[in-house]
């Protein structure tokens, strides 16, 4: 069976906020698949990023789906507003949701793709009871809160473990990896079983972001091993 093509999602957190429109146009023109949008509340993570008005402005110009990663406590209170601001995918953190099952179903009822994210210290096994109810699992490969951090190597094992769990359960889900992803580790991540690569610093600090995105799209475990 041919492996499905992986997706690339540049993280807007690393964009130049004073020239955000230019960076949105760049992503539109690139081979990127999604815009990755990091929302931080200063409570769940030790940083504050942006909220609804900025998301709505991005949505106004973006020609690709908005993949919204909520690093906030009590995300269930705000999912409708995120949908209204333009979110296509809404990912909430396992660690921030007491009633995760209810929350992911509420996201799906709004017509959005429902994702759950896990921190580096959260084992994949904790997803056992929710795996049938989500479309996407985001594995954090850094501690959430900041762009430009060092990739945590244990992520490869977590991806493989989740891929095996999903196969075992016949669950059709996308595995997204977020944090410290670049063209240096993209191949190994895809080989481990990742479907979506989020890249902030690697894209926006590159001399030629469009080229970097194109390279990330071209990397293929099938071609290398053939
Ligand atoms: C971190 C965010 C990431 C971040 C990734 O909390 O969830 O999406 O922007 O940035 P890089 O690719 O620079 O690690
Ligand atoms: Zn993110």
């Amino acid at each position: 069976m041919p492996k499905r093509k992986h997706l690339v999602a540049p993280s807007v957190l690393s964009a130049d906020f004073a020239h955000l429109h230019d960076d949105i146009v760049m992503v539109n023109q690139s081979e990127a698949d999604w815009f990755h949008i990091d929302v931080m509340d200063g409570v769940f993570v030790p940083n504050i990023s942006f909220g609804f008005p900025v998301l709505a402005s991005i949505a106004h110009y973006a020609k690709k789906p908005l993949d919204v990663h909520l690093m906030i406590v009590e995300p269930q209170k705000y999912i409708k507003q995120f949908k209204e601001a333009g979110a296509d995918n809404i990912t909430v953190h396992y660690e921030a949701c007491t009633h995760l099952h209810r929350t992911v179903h509420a996201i799906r009822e709004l017509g959005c793709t429902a994702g759950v994210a896990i921190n580096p210290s959260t084992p994949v096994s904790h997803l056992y009871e929710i795996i049938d109810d989500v479309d996407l699992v985001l594995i954090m490969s850094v501690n959430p809160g900041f762009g430009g951090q060092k990739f945590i190597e244990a992520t490869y094992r977590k991806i493989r473990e989740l891929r095996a769990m999903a196969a075992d359960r016949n669950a059709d889900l996308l595995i997204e990896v977020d944090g410290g992803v670049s063209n240096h580790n993209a191949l190994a991540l895809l080989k481990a079983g990742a479907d979506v690569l989020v890249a902030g610093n690697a894209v926006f600090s590159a001399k030629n972001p469009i080229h970097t995105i194109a390279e990330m799209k071209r990397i293929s475990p099938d071609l290398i091993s053939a």
Side-chain angles (χ1 to χ4, degrees):
M1 200 174 71
K3 199 182 177 303
R4 64 184 158 202
K5 188 82 187 109
H6 64 277
L7 308 179
V8 170
S11 172
V12 171
L13 188 66
S14 298
D16 177 352
F17 291 155
H19 299 98
L20 192 49
H21 180 258
D22 294 350
D23 284 339
I24 295 168
V25 170
M26 181 280 290
V27 175
N28 282 341
Q29 289 172 346
S30 77
E31 291 177 46
D33 299 277
W34 295 345
F35 286 82
H36 183 80
I37 315 277
D38 291 301
V39 178
M40 305 177 181
D41 66 355
V43 180
F44 181 67
V45 288
N47 196 9
I48 298 175
S49 57
F50 45 73
F52 306 115
V54 173
L55 177 60
S57 302
I58 296 170
H60 188 71
Y61 296 105
K63 295 194 166 77
K64 296 175 181 185
L66 302 189
D67 178 43
V68 177
H69 176 193
L70 298 182
M71 284 159 275
I72 63 174
V73 297
E74 303 194 282
Q76 71 281 357
K77 286 186 179 170
Y78 305 102
I79 53 177
K80 192 161 179 286
Q81 272 170 279
F82 280 110
K83 160 74 179 171
E84 285 165 1
D88 294 284
N89 309 341
I90 300 181
T91 295
V92 296
H93 264 265
Y94 170 86
E95 303 83 5
C97 270
T98 308
H99 301 289
L100 183 60
H101 183 274
R102 179 185 290 149
T103 303
V104 296
H105 281 278
I107 294 171
R108 280 182 163 180
E109 276 159 31
L110 287 170
C112 292
T113 296
V116 60
I118 53 170
N119 282 338
S121 62
T122 301
V124 165
S125 58
H126 282 23
L127 298 170
Y128 190 80
E129 297 301 337
I130 202 69
I131 199 165
D132 294 325
D133 301 286
V134 294
D135 308 297
L136 179 158
V137 172
L138 185 160
I139 298 183
M140 285 303 311
S141 37
V142 298
N143 286 292
F146 304 92
Q149 300 182 81
K150 192 175 174 299
F151 177 84
I152 296 171
E153 297 289 323
T155 306
Y156 296 117
R157 179 174 41 73
K158 293 178 81 174
I159 298 169
R160 284 195 296 270
E161 198 180 330
L162 179 57
R163 194 83 270 167
M165 189 198 283
D168 194 41
R169 298 277 292 278
N170 229 349
D172 182 21
L173 59 83
L174 292 171
I175 300 179
E176 182 168 14
V177 187
D178 185 6
V181 174
S182 71
N183 283 341
H184 299 294
N185 55 16
L187 176 63
L189 289 167
L190 296 175
K191 278 186 174 168
D195 300 297
V196 186
L197 304 176
V198 175
N201 198 53
V203 166
F204 288 100
S205 69
K207 275 207 182 79
N208 186 338
I210 295 224
H211 182 72
T212 299
I213 292 168
E215 265 181 12
M216 200 172 275
K217 280 296 285 183
R218 255 195 310 275
I219 290 168
S220 161
D222 303 333
L223 282 180
I224 305 284
S225 57

